[in-house]
Amino acid sequence: MSSPAPPSQASLPLQDREGVLDHAAGLILETWRGLDRARATQPPVEDRHRELLSRPLPAGPSDPRGALDLAADVLDVSITQARPRFFAYVGSSGLEIGVLGDALMASHDVNAAVPAGGADLLDAQVLRWVDEFVGFGGARDGVMASGGAISNLTALAAAREHAIPGYRHHGGHGVRAALYTSAEAHYSVQRAGEVLGLGGELVRRIPVDAERRMDPEACAAAIDADLRDGIVPVAVVATAGTTLTGAVDDLSALAGVCEPRGVWLHVDGAYGLPAAATPTAGHRFAGLDRVDSATVDAHKWLYVPKACSVLLVRRPSALETTFSHHETYMPHEGEQVHPVDRTLEYSRPLRALKLWLAFKVHGADAIRAAIERNLRQAALLAELLHAAPEFEVLAHPQLSAVCFRVPPPAGADPVRHNLELLHAVNEEGRILLAAAEVDGIPCLRACIVNHRTTDDDVRAIPAAVAEQAARAVDEVR
Ligand SMILES: Cc1ncc(COP(=O)(O)O)c(C=O)c1O
């Protein structure tokens, strides 16, 4: 018989930690069971939650089981993206093995800023696996970041240093420099231009074509006009899956624009790039092997919990050139590179672990099939909406985002009609949708990136919206 482990000598010991761990495992299991199927409605925040959450800082201890129960109760009345009928925004769906990965990661609390042995190898392997999965075709540099916004900023900082070497040390010295991106790009690209000191006005918003993809000819013309004016083109940012409609810019055509001009081509694939791994949508991403860098958010369409973004960079040492520091409290030995030399952050969790476990436990084929299922479900939703006379689909899905509306009845305010409908649908709580605007037309948007979503969950969308629309018409009468 093995002897019992000696008690912890920590100054903050968790009393009866085995029992508390069992209790926490029970709460997690209960949560997972609750997420398996949609619930009838979203329970409201009650007075007891408000009372609990207005209490002052506790000076003394309390029972950990009771505290965990209170936390679970608060979370139960919070909007949880992992539910199968959460279609608002580009959600994340808390893959179970990823949740366990997070718990294990936090227990070890490795700092992915400094050399950390096995963790560094795991981090590097995950970058290679994502590279292979999406078909990037040979990243020589890369990093895990908190989200797509930070991955985009990181890539564009490297592009700026590449376009204007020494910018990080000497500043711009009056050099004007620009970014080029789709009119429908995520605002994180605009913000990156602002934060990097290029100026928001020098983020050129290029018009989109009939398929809502950045027009490559207009992009080339904008770069050439800037070159004539002495403005340095820092990067073209293609979007592989716009947040609004899932449009994928033509990467081959944009590579054809960037290569002869020596301009860095970054792909914001935060939402859509995992679909490059699928037989159905893979063709949309042709040219990915010619781009300089790409963002993929694993907490979106690779299903792991937030926050887990991957930045792949083709140029060796591009990140190190942009971010590395030699500090007396952290000297480099010889050619040694610290993980922090590649990031904007300093202390970092080992974000790669949950994605490593996801690939290891499920395998790439099952993950690819789950993405395929979401693509099919978006097509199913578009079909159902097309078939019902009360709906109008505003942008046919290229990936898994569907924008649609209920055309306002005669006399109704065209702007408020769909917004009020959205509020009514979300208030009822059976499904959750987002508000959007396509070509100035207010509409509803569903984005399907959840491994728990079934076809029946998708069928609930037109059913729930039609019900609320009919109710609104009855109220007008
Ligand atoms: C295309 C695109 N890029 C970037 C982002 C920002 O990602 P994050 O919220 O992980 O920072 C999003 C978020 O939805 C997105 O859809």
Coordinates of all heavy atoms in Angstrom, one line a residue, residues 419-450:
L419 N -34.3 45.0 -36.0 CA -33.6 45.1 -34.7 C -34.6 44.7 -33.6 O -34.2 44.0 -32.7 CB -33.2 46.6 -34.6 CG -32.0 46.8 -33.6 CD1 -30.8 46.0 -34.1 CD2 -31.6 48.3 -33.6
E420 N -35.8 45.1 -33.7 CA -36.8 44.8 -32.7 C -37.1 43.3 -32.7 O -37.2 42.6 -31.7 CB -38.1 45.6 -32.9 CG -37.9 47.0 -32.4 CD -39.1 47.9 -32.8 OE1 -40.1 47.4 -33.4 OE2 -39.0 49.1 -32.4
L421 N -37.0 42.7 -33.9 CA -37.2 41.3 -34.1 C -36.1 40.5 -33.4 O -36.3 39.5 -32.7 CB -37.3 41.0 -35.6 CG -37.8 39.6 -36.0 CD1 -39.1 39.4 -35.5 CD2 -37.9 39.6 -37.6
L422 N -34.9 41.0 -33.6 CA -33.7 40.4 -33.0 C -33.8 40.4 -31.5 O -33.6 39.4 -30.8 CB -32.4 41.1 -33.4 CG -31.2 40.6 -32.7 CD1 -30.6 39.4 -33.5 CD2 -30.1 41.7 -32.6
H423 N -34.2 41.6 -30.9 CA -34.4 41.7 -29.5 C -35.4 40.7 -29.0 O -35.2 40.0 -28.0 CB -34.8 43.1 -29.1 CG -33.7 44.1 -29.3 ND1 -32.3 43.8 -29.1 CD2 -33.7 45.4 -29.7 CE1 -31.6 44.9 -29.3 NE2 -32.4 45.8 -29.7
A424 N -36.5 40.6 -29.7 CA -37.6 39.7 -29.3 C -37.1 38.2 -29.3 O -37.3 37.4 -28.4 CB -38.8 39.8 -30.2
V425 N -36.3 37.9 -30.4 CA -35.8 36.5 -30.5 C -34.8 36.2 -29.4 O -34.9 35.1 -28.7 CB -35.1 36.3 -31.9 CG1 -34.3 35.0 -32.0 CG2 -36.2 36.3 -33.0
N426 N -33.9 37.1 -29.2 CA -32.9 36.9 -28.2 C -33.5 36.9 -26.7 O -33.0 36.2 -25.9 CB -31.7 37.9 -28.3 CG -30.9 37.6 -29.5 OD1 -31.1 36.5 -30.2 ND2 -29.9 38.4 -29.8
E427 N -34.5 37.7 -26.6 CA -35.1 37.8 -25.3 C -35.8 36.5 -25.0 O -35.8 35.9 -23.9 CB -36.1 38.9 -25.3 CG -36.8 39.1 -23.9 CD -36.5 40.5 -23.4 OE1 -35.4 41.1 -23.7 OE2 -37.4 41.1 -22.7
E428 N -36.5 35.9 -26.0 CA -37.2 34.6 -25.8 C -36.2 33.6 -25.4 O -36.4 32.7 -24.6 CB -37.9 34.3 -27.1 CG -38.9 33.1 -26.9 CD -38.7 32.0 -27.9 OE1 -37.6 32.0 -28.6 OE2 -39.5 31.1 -27.8
G429 N -35.0 33.7 -26.0 CA -33.8 32.9 -25.5 C -33.7 31.5 -26.1 O -32.7 30.8 -25.7
R430 N -34.5 31.1 -27.0 CA -34.4 29.7 -27.5 C -33.1 29.6 -28.4 O -32.4 28.7 -28.4 CB -35.6 29.4 -28.4 CG -36.0 28.0 -28.4 CD -37.2 27.7 -29.3 NE -38.1 28.8 -29.4 CZ -39.0 28.9 -30.4 NH1 -39.1 27.9 -31.4 NH2 -39.9 29.9 -30.5
I431 N -32.9 30.7 -29.2 CA -31.7 30.8 -30.0 C -31.1 32.2 -29.8 O -31.8 33.1 -29.2 CB -32.0 30.6 -31.5 CG1 -32.9 31.8 -32.0 CG2 -32.6 29.3 -31.8 CD1 -33.0 31.9 -33.5
L432 N -29.9 32.4 -30.2 CA -29.3 33.7 -30.0 C -28.6 34.1 -31.3 O -27.8 33.3 -31.9 CB -28.2 33.6 -28.9 CG -28.1 34.8 -28.1 CD1 -29.3 34.9 -27.2 CD2 -26.8 34.8 -27.2
L433 N -29.0 35.2 -31.9 CA -28.5 35.7 -33.1 C -27.9 37.1 -32.9 O -28.0 37.7 -31.8 CB -29.7 35.9 -34.1 CG -30.5 34.7 -34.5 CD1 -31.7 35.0 -35.4 CD2 -29.6 33.6 -35.2
A434 N -27.2 37.6 -33.9 CA -26.5 38.9 -33.8 C -27.2 39.9 -34.8 O -27.8 39.4 -35.8 CB -25.1 38.8 -34.2
A435 N -27.1 41.2 -34.5 CA -27.6 42.2 -35.4 C -26.5 42.4 -36.4 O -25.3 42.3 -36.1 CB -27.9 43.5 -34.7
A436 N -26.8 42.7 -37.7 CA -25.8 43.1 -38.7 C -26.4 44.0 -39.7 O -27.6 44.4 -39.6 CB -25.3 41.8 -39.4
E437 N -25.6 44.4 -40.6 CA -26.0 45.3 -41.7 C -25.3 44.9 -43.0 O -24.0 44.9 -43.0 CB -25.6 46.8 -41.3 CG -26.7 47.8 -41.4 CD -26.1 49.1 -41.0 OE1 -25.5 49.8 -41.9 OE2 -26.3 49.5 -39.8
V438 N -26.0 44.6 -44.0 CA -25.4 44.3 -45.3 C -25.8 45.4 -46.3 O -27.0 45.6 -46.5 CB -25.8 42.9 -45.8 CG1 -25.3 42.6 -47.2 CG2 -25.3 41.8 -44.8
D439 N -24.9 46.0 -46.9 CA -25.1 47.1 -47.8 C -26.1 48.1 -47.2 O -27.1 48.6 -47.9 CB -25.6 46.6 -49.1 CG -24.6 45.7 -49.8 OD1 -23.4 46.0 -49.6 OD2 -25.0 44.7 -50.5
G440 N -26.0 48.4 -45.9 CA -26.8 49.4 -45.3 C -28.2 48.8 -44.9 O -29.0 49.6 -44.3
I441 N -28.4 47.6 -45.2 CA -29.8 47.0 -44.8 C -29.6 46.3 -43.5 O -28.9 45.3 -43.3 CB -30.2 46.0 -45.9 CG1 -30.3 46.7 -47.2 CG2 -31.6 45.4 -45.5 CD1 -30.6 45.8 -48.4
P442 N -30.4 46.7 -42.4 CA -30.3 46.0 -41.1 C -30.8 44.6 -41.3 O -31.8 44.3 -42.0 CB -31.2 46.8 -40.2 CG -31.5 48.1 -41.0 CD -31.3 47.8 -42.4
C443 N -30.1 43.6 -40.7 CA -30.5 42.2 -40.8 C -30.1 41.4 -39.6 O -29.6 42.0 -38.6 CB -29.9 41.6 -42.1 SG -28.1 41.6 -42.0
L444 N -30.4 40.2 -39.6 CA -30.0 39.2 -38.6 C -28.9 38.3 -39.1 O -28.8 38.1 -40.3 CB -31.2 38.3 -38.2 CG -32.5 39.0 -37.9 CD1 -33.6 38.0 -37.6 CD2 -32.4 40.0 -36.8
R445 N -28.0 37.9 -38.2 CA -26.8 37.1 -38.7 C -26.7 35.9 -37.8 O -26.7 36.0 -36.5 CB -25.6 38.0 -38.6 CG -24.3 37.3 -39.1 CD -23.2 38.3 -39.1 NE -21.9 37.6 -38.9 CZ -21.5 37.2 -37.8 NH1 -22.1 37.4 -36.7 NH2 -20.3 36.5 -37.7
A446 N -26.5 34.8 -38.4 CA -26.2 33.5 -37.7 C -24.9 33.0 -38.2 O -24.6 33.0 -39.4 CB -27.3 32.5 -38.0
C447 N -24.0 32.7 -37.2 CA -22.7 32.1 -37.6 C -22.6 30.7 -36.9 O -22.8 30.6 -35.7 CB -21.6 33.1 -37.2 SG -20.0 32.5 -37.8
I448 N -22.3 29.7 -37.7 CA -22.3 28.4 -37.2 C -20.9 27.8 -37.1 O -20.3 27.4 -38.1 CB -23.2 27.5 -38.1 CG1 -24.6 28.1 -38.2 CG2 -23.3 26.1 -37.5 CD1 -25.5 27.4 -39.3
V449 N -20.3 27.8 -35.9 CA -19.0 27.4 -35.7 C -18.9 26.5 -34.4 O -17.8 26.5 -33.7 CB -18.0 28.5 -35.6 CG1 -17.7 29.2 -36.9 CG2 -18.4 29.6 -34.6
N450 N -19.9 25.8 -34.1 CA -20.0 25.0 -32.9 C -20.1 23.5 -33.2 O -21.0 23.1 -33.9 CB -21.3 25.5 -32.1 CG -21.3 25.1 -30.7 OD1 -20.9 24.0 -30.4 ND2 -21.9 25.9 -29.8

